[in-house]
Amino acid sequence: MSVEILSKQLCHGGAVSTVAHKSTSLGLDAKFMLFRPAEALRGDKTPVLFLLAGLTCTHETFLQKSTIIAEAAACGLTLVAPDTSPRGAGVEGENDTYDLGTAAGFYLDATRQPWASHYRMGSYVADELPELIRTRFGQEGSAFGIMGHSMGGHGALVHGLRNPSLWQSVSALAPIVHPSVVPWGTRAFKAYLGEDRESWAAWDAVSLIASGRRHPNEILIDQGTADQFLAQELRPDLIENAAAKAGQPLTLRYHAGYDHSYWFIQSVISDHVAHHARLLGARS
Amino acid sequence: MSVEILSKQLCHGGAVSTVAHKSTSLGLDAKFMLFRPAEALRGDKTPVLFLLAGLTCTHETFLQKSTIIAEAAACGLTLVAPDTSPRGAGVEGENDTYDLGTAAGFYLDATRQPWASHYRMGSYVADELPELIRTRFGQEGSAFGIMGHSMGGHGALVHGLRNPSLWQSVSALAPIVHPSVVPWGTRAFKAYLGEDRESWAAWDAVSLIASGRRHPNEILIDQGTADQFLAQELRPDLIENAAAKAGQPLTLRYHAGYDHSYWFIQSVISDHVAHHARLLGARS
């Protein structure tokens, strides 16, 4: 497993790096961004927070635009920002639209060709990347949390519910909560998973809760009311209702006038860092 | 003077906007970015801080990458981020290199054709844009400060020293301090101002101090020691020496291991906001 640190730039007493590696899950070269706070650079273990970005984003977007690093440095959190899809899979049409293929991997494992060979962001996020952070970056035994925005919010919710023993803290910003019933999700799931809608439930947060999955800790969701995708694609009311019915602890907060952009994300990011820091046992 | 607000997105209780207008100084359409804190949206006057970006940047870069908005919102500062050059001037070769022409306006008024017709960022920053902020955004009588990065650090220092009664606070991050003697500066000044080096002194911070210009308030400069441009292009020691000799209050701080990027900027931005907030009478 070859891992190459392409850059290392100091930031808030820690370091931001771009890391390249050969991904076994994806069968392709992959890159992610990493922030290691001062403690991690000294070799200490720290809590680790995964950051999943949305459609059209890359591994760079979350760290560049969310303003999360200052807060993560203050709490001593390691940050890991994966890419939003495999790159260079060579699937015909993968670069043709913004909501399928490149930068639209939906953090799941495709089962249908031609996607199934490389579009395996599910295993990449759930298994390969945590293992790489543990073994190559000195985080054996560290606590892991996961958060994301939009498609990445879907990813954070789904992975948190699928594997709550790995992801001890979960939060989402303007997430897609029920991809099985909204245009972005149904388009992607048909392509990646096929027409059998029962197979979709394993990658859908509302369906997972409805089928009995639980996370022991409160899930935090923030949503702007002026988000252009709120009514058609995001529908956080659906997960709020499902969680209430199921007894899943979940807090959904609406923010009047905020939209879907990183200007919104940066406005609430400190509450998310505090949420994860508390649940992961970081200093606050 | 037509002014069009192309977007308005809430952020930290205020709003980020892209503003388009016909610039009389530049003789072209221009755009800038604007952050108005909650107070300004309510119609209150606030201190105003100009943010000048460096080579290759646009009007978007500083607000997107510096993480300054959270701090500015907390202090109630309006932020104005101009572009780094005219756009679409049509000068032959203006898009050929990163350090001359487009995105490399050096915040001066060119006197030599073919640049002199449009490359007038000096007047744009010193006169037109402050006036527009005063009259179109309710800031008549507000206190103004100026800061910048790299080429924009040069711009902040030069404008602060040329017009200290307008710019009551000045700071710079990794600035070009003596463009008349470094490669980036000499290349640009030859093109924009011609071969007569005496004319260069009016747009050179070290030369301005040497010729007797002073700013009444302390100038703050931060510089990373691992900055790839430190020894050849930036040379902050030259302005530190000139200021010491002239009695210009100036604090230059070196930061071990930090480079020239916005990862460095975000690591020290809170000290710069505090510096301006104090001198502009904002709440701290």
Side-chain angles (χ1 to χ4, degrees):
Chain A
M1 200 164 63
S2 84
V3 172
E4 187 182 1
I5 297 182
L6 301 180
S7 62
K8 181 182 171 186
Q9 299 177 272
L10 295 196
C11 189
H12 287 290
V16 175
S17 288
T18 302
V19 184
H21 66 124
K22 291 209 175 295
S23 165
T24 52
S25 323
L26 307 176
L28 292 166
D29 292 334
K31 286 183 195 167
F32 62 92
M33 282 196 85
L34 178 67
F35 171 71
R36 285 172 290 171
E39 297 88 331
L41 295 181
R42 286 198 303 266
D44 295 354
K45 281 198 295 194
T46 73
V48 177
L49 180 56
F50 271 48
L51 309 173
L52 306 186
L55 292 168
T56 77
C57 293
T58 72
H59 61 295
E60 297 184 315
T61 314
F62 213 112
L63 286 190
Q64 285 187 345
K65 293 192 171 175
S66 70
T67 75
I68 194 175
I69 293 180
E71 317 261 357
C75 298
L77 289 176
T78 291
L79 302 173
V80 179
D83 209 337
T84 50
S85 75
R87 300 279 165 174
V91 175
E92 194 183 332
E94 71 180 342
N95 299 320
D96 291 355
T97 56
Y98 78 98
D99 58 355
L100 185 68
T102 300
F106 275 81
Y107 304 104
L108 55 71
D109 288 343
T111 53
R112 192 165 155 261
Q113 293 297 6
W115 304 101
S117 302
H118 298 297
Y119 278 74
R120 297 180 52 79
M121 293 299 291
S123 294
Y124 181 73
V125 165
D127 302 317
E128 182 176 0
L129 201 45
E131 182 64 10
L132 189 151
I133 299 299
R134 281 188 208 101
T135 56
R136 296 304 186 98
F137 294 97
Q139 301 298 339
E140 290 282 5
S142 295
F144 280 65
I146 192 163
M147 68 179 286
H149 171 236
S150 196
M151 176 185 74
H154 144 75
L157 295 169
V158 160
H159 282 275
L161 288 162
R162 286 168 62 99
N163 195 351
S165 61
L166 169 59
W167 308 108
Q168 295 179 34
S169 57
V170 180
S171 78
L173 301 133
I176 303 167
V177 303
H178 199 7
S180 302
V181 304
V182 303
W184 280 341
T186 50
R187 174 173 159 80
F189 282 19
K190 272 184 199 161
Y192 296 143
L193 304 172
E195 297 285 345
D196 172 17
R197 289 180 178 243
E198 288 198 17
S199 70
W200 297 8
W203 300 104
D204 180 306
V206 166
S207 304
L208 286 167
I209 291 174
S211 72
R213 299 277 193 150
R214 297 289 176 273
H215 197 284
N217 295 321
E218 179 193 58
I219 295 169
L220 173 63
I221 298 178
D222 278 304
Q223 176 63 55
T225 64
D227 187 320
Q228 58 270 46
F229 304 112
L230 175 55
Q232 193 170 19
E233 302 285 3
L234 307 177
R235 297 291 311 274
D237 54 301
L238 298 177
I239 197 167
E240 188 177 43
N241 292 342
K245 199 175 298 181
Q248 167 65 50
L250 184 145
T251 297
L252 167 62
R253 309 188 304 182
Y254 286 101
H255 300 269
Y258 283 82
D259 71 8
H260 197 64
S261 70
Y262 274 85
W263 304 119
F264 165 59
I265 294 179
Q266 72 162 259
S267 302
V268 296
I269 200 74
S270 66
D271 287 349
H272 285 256
V273 172
H275 169 84
H276 290 278
R278 178 172 60 82
L279 292 171
L280 299 177
R283 66 168 180 270
S284 55
Chain B
M1 199 164 63
S2 84
V3 173
E4 187 182 1
I5 297 181
L6 300 181
S7 63
K8 181 182 172 187
Q9 299 176 272
L10 295 196
C11 189
H12 286 290
V16 175
S17 288
T18 301
V19 184
H21 67 124
K22 292 210 173 293
S23 166
T24 52
S25 323
L26 307 176
L28 292 166
D29 292 335
K31 286 183 194 166
F32 62 92
M33 283 197 83
L34 179 66
F35 171 72
R36 285 172 291 171
E39 298 88 330
L41 294 181
R42 286 197 303 265
D44 295 354
K45 281 197 297 196
T46 73
V48 177
L49 179 57
F50 270 49
L51 309 173
L52 306 186
L55 293 168
T56 76
C57 292
T58 73
H59 60 295
E60 298 184 316
T61 315
F62 213 113
L63 287 191
Q64 285 189 345
K65 293 191 172 178
S66 70
T67 74
I68 194 173
I69 291 180
E71 317 261 357
C75 298
L77 290 175
T78 291
L79 302 174
V80 179
D83 210 336
T84 50
S85 74
R87 300 277 164 175
V91 174
E92 194 183 332
E94 70 180 343
N95 299 321
D96 291 355
T97 56
Y98 78 97
D99 58 354
L100 184 69
T102 299
F106 274 81
Y107 304 103
L108 55 72
D109 288 343
T111 53
R112 193 164 155 261
Q113 291 300 2
W115 305 100
S117 302
H118 298 296
Y119 278 74
R120 298 180 51 78
M121 293 298 291
S123 293
Y124 181 73
V125 166
D127 302 318
E128 183 177 359
L129 200 46
E131 182 64 11
L132 189 152
I133 298 300
R134 280 188 209 101
T135 57
R136 295 306 186 98
F137 294 96
Q139 300 299 339
E140 290 281 5
S142 294
F144 281 64
I146 193 164
M147 69 178 286
H149 171 233
S150 195
M151 176 185 74
H154 144 76
L157 295 169
V158 160
H159 282 275
L161 288 162
R162 285 169 63 99
N163 195 350
S165 63
L166 169 59
W167 308 106
Q168 295 178 34
S169 57
V170 180
S171 77
L173 301 132
I176 302 167
V177 304
H178 199 7
S180 302
V181 304
V182 301
W184 279 340
T186 51
R187 174 173 159 80
F189 282 19
K190 271 183 199 161
Y192 296 143
L193 304 172
E195 297 285 346
D196 172 18
R197 288 181 178 242
E198 287 196 19
S199 71
W200 296 9
W203 300 103
D204 180 306
V206 166
S207 304
L208 286 166
I209 290 175
S211 72
R213 300 277 193 148
R214 297 289 176 276
H215 197 283
N217 296 322
E218 179 194 60
I219 295 169
L220 174 63
I221 299 178
D222 278 305
Q223 175 64 56
T225 63
D227 187 321
Q228 57 270 47
F229 304 113
L230 176 54
Q232 192 171 20
E233 301 287 1
L234 307 178
R235 296 293 310 277
D237 54 301
L238 298 177
I239 197 168
E240 188 177 43
N241 292 341
K245 200 176 295 180
Q248 167 65 51
L250 185 145
T251 297
L252 167 61
R253 309 187 303 182
Y254 286 102
H255 300 268
Y258 282 82
D259 70 10
H260 197 64
S261 70
Y262 275 85
W263 304 118
F264 165 59
I265 294 179
Q266 73 162 259
S267 303
V268 296
I269 200 72
S270 66
D271 287 349
H272 285 256
V273 172
H275 169 84
H276 291 277
R278 178 173 59 83
L279 292 171
L280 299 177
R283 68 168 181 271
S284 55

